[in-house]
Amino acid sequence: MEKIRYSSDTLPPLADEQRRRLAKLAAKRDDQIDTDDATELTDAQMADASRGRFYRPLKQQITARLDADVLAWLKSQGKGYQSRMNAILREAMLKSE
């Protein structure tokens, strides 16, 4: 089974307030940004870093009706058909934005 990974491209969209705060921060010069509370990372730590590693969207249990052939196809791909269904729906959702 393929593990589903989330990236900055697949995370939920930012709220308007988050966008405004980020735009305000991006407009500042680097020397104007207070980084006193940020821990310095070594090059070795940065080499192993990955974005969104601990992000897990909240899941909601639903009841859905699918065509029998669609469900059979999903299950025929192996274990994890519900996660695959979620990934397919997420991809469609992100393409529609």
Side-chain angles (χ1 to χ4, degrees):
M1 178 178 100
E2 181 181 351
K3 186 173 183 178
I4 299 173
R5 296 205 176 267
Y6 296 94
S7 69
S8 59
D9 297 331
T10 60
L11 292 175
L14 295 173
D16 290 341
E17 176 60 23
Q18 291 171 312
R19 287 185 192 281
R20 280 192 291 276
R21 290 176 60 199
L22 287 173
K24 187 176 176 181
L25 184 61
K28 290 185 175 186
R29 293 188 327 262
D30 287 349
D31 62 350
Q32 294 177 313
I33 299 172
D34 180 13
T35 59
D36 289 341
D37 61 345
T39 304
E40 294 276 338
L41 298 178
T42 65
D43 290 338
Q45 289 171 316
M46 289 301 291
D48 290 335
S50 64
R51 180 179 286 168
R53 181 172 159 197
F54 297 107
Y55 172 76
R56 298 287 183 266
L58 296 175
K59 302 290 184 182
Q60 185 172 0
Q61 185 173 349
I62 65 163
T63 300
R65 295 186 177 272
L66 301 175
D67 293 340
D69 59 336
V70 172
L71 184 58
W73 175 78
L74 283 166
K75 288 184 173 183
S76 75
Q77 307 296 308
K79 190 175 179 180
Y81 77 94
Q82 291 174 325
S83 295
R84 243 184 326 282
M85 183 170 36
N86 189 73
I88 292 167
L89 290 170
R90 178 175 296 281
E91 184 178 342
M93 175 189 74
L94 293 171
K95 284 182 180 177
S96 72
E97 291 180 346

